[in-house]
């Protein structure tokens, strides 16, 4: 996303700013841009680009269009007891589809999630499951026609349970939309914090249907690698595969070698799964024909940046 305040003189604008130059592609060939929406126990949403916050936090709720999700809920297992004051650690075992440990998990706990001892009630603290549930969604900011895709993590407490009216946890939200002949990628979704919850919980509400221009952008966005990569858990290489002093870290399929002083990837607080939660498959989106011609031409970045800033509503 374009930085809004980097120019001292913003009057002169090049006609070629709507494309990425060969020089820019060369300089960025070592890694890509990683965009994420960070949630928190304080009830805010923050935009992060390559780990750095962009603009101010938005409080309360956020309007998005979901463009990517895996067909099943993912699972993560952390070797130690969760401590909010301890240094962040990555999970040692995880499964993107909740069926078998990922081949790159450093300490797989079982041959399959169905027979894993960490997936039994009582294996975790306070008679809970030690293995956690999570979803990672790829989303667009509603009203932003730049096509920039963000990742947002949905913890277990925000996944399962029953909704009230048209406000639902995510898995129930998917079923609710399907019952009304809509899909998650045909509506604008309002993501909000549940004010009655003891811990951070997100709720999902359909705001409105997409118009033809918005849906055309969704279709274009779903063809981008981020729409798939942002939905997956991609962490450390399996122990013993690399003997280098610097570990190999995979971020969305891009392999980068970290320096010795590089910070570890941050793993956010995770909520306790419900006792009666079920893995509900996400249905394949039903595409509808657009009445307008699709185009891959991107508008001027300067005007897009100003538009996104207004849509975001920074505090």
């Amino acid at each position: 996303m374009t930085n809004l305040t980097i120019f001292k003189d913003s009057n002169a604008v090049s006609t070629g700013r709507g494309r990425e130059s060969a020089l820019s592609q060369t300089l960025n060939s070592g890694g890509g841009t990683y965009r994420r929406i960070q949630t928190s126990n304080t009830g805010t949403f923050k935009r992060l680009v390559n780990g750095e916050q962009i603009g101010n936090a938005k409080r309360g709720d956020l309007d998005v269009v979901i463009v990517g999700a895996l067909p099943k809920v993912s699972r993560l297992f952390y070797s130690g007891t969760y401590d909010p004051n301890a240094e962040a650690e990555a999970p040692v075992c995880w499964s993107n589809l909740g069926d078998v440990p990922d081949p790159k998990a450093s300490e797989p706990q079982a041959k399959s999630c169905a027979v894993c001892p960490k997936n039994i009630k009582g294996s975790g603290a306070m008679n809970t499951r030690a293995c956690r549930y999570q979803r990672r969604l790829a989303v667009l900011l509603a009203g932003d026609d730049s096509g920039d895709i963000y990742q947002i993590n949905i913890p277990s407490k925000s996944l399962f349970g029953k909704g009230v009216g048209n406000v639902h946890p995510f898995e129930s939200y998917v079923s609710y939309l399907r019952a009304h002949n809509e899909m998650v990628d045909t509506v604008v979704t309002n993501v909000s914090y549940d004010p009655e919850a003891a811990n951070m919980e997100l709720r999902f509400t359909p705001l409105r249907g997409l118009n033809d221009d918005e849906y055309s952008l969704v279709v274009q966005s779903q063809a981008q690698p981020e729409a798939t990569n942002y939905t997956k858990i991609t962490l450390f290489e399996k122990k013993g595969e690399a003997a280098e002093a610097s570990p190999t870290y995979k971020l969305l399929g891009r392999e980068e070698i970290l320096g010795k002083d590089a910070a570890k990837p941050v793993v956010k607080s995770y909520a306790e799964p419900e006792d009666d939660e079920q893995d509900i498959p996400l249905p394949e989106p039903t595409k509808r024909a657009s009445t307008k011609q699709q185009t891959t031409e991107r508008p001027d970045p300067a005007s897009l940046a100003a538009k996104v800033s207004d849509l975001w509503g920074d505090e």
Side-chain angles (χ1 to χ4, degrees), residues 50-191:
N50 292 337
E52 295 187 6
Q53 182 175 337
I54 303 299
N56 296 326
K58 188 176 189 302
R59 184 171 297 280
D61 67 337
L62 181 67
D63 295 337
V64 303
V65 180
I66 301 169
V67 298
L70 291 175
K72 293 185 178 181
V73 179
S74 303
R75 304 184 187 219
L76 306 94
F77 171 70
Y78 298 83
S79 59
T81 302
Y82 175 66
D83 181 356
N85 299 317
E87 183 180 359
E89 295 182 357
V92 297
C93 185
W94 72 92
S95 174
N96 277 304
L97 295 178
D99 50 2
V100 295
D102 190 276
K104 294 182 175 62
S106 60
E107 299 177 19
Q109 300 297 300
K111 291 184 177 181
S112 73
C113 298
V115 299
C116 182
K118 304 302 182 182
N119 191 34
I120 298 175
K121 186 177 180 180
S123 58
M126 300 178 65
N127 201 35
T128 62
R129 297 182 181 94
C131 187
R132 312 286 175 166
Y133 290 88
Q134 186 190 86
R135 264 200 187 278
R136 298 189 175 189
L137 305 178
V139 303
L140 301 174
L141 296 178
D144 173 18
D145 53 4
S146 70
D148 288 341
I149 302 174
Y150 289 80
Q151 179 191 77
I152 183 170
N153 294 344
I154 312 301
S156 60
K157 283 291 186 180
S158 304
L159 289 173
F160 305 105
K162 297 180 180 180
V164 177
N166 64 349
V167 182
H168 293 258
F170 186 77
E171 302 303 311
S172 176
Y173 179 63
V174 173
S175 299
Y176 176 78
L177 290 178
R178 183 171 52 198
H180 290 80
N181 298 315
E182 292 287 355
M183 297 291 170
V184 292
D185 58 353
T186 64
V187 301
V188 174
T189 296
N190 177 262
V191 186

Side-chain angles (χ1 to χ4, degrees), residues 197-267:
N199 297 311
M200 189 272 286
E201 294 184 26
L202 300 174
R203 290 296 178 261
F204 300 81
T205 308
L207 187 62
R208 60 173 175 82
L210 301 181
N211 60 41
D212 288 336
D213 288 336
E214 291 171 326
Y215 190 75
S216 177
L217 182 61
V218 167
V219 173
Q220 295 176 44
S221 299
Q222 289 175 330
Q224 301 303 312
E226 291 87 349
T228 299
N229 292 338
Y230 279 8
T231 66
K232 299 177 181 178
I233 303 168
T234 49
L235 300 173
F236 289 106
E237 292 283 1
K238 191 173 182 180
K239 290 182 179 179
E241 290 185 350
E244 295 85 359
S246 298
T248 301
Y249 175 61
K250 280 196 173 182
L251 175 62
L252 306 177
R254 302 181 181 98
E255 190 169 298
E256 301 174 357
I257 303 299
L258 302 181
K260 292 182 179 179
D261 298 328
K264 292 182 179 180
V266 175
V267 178

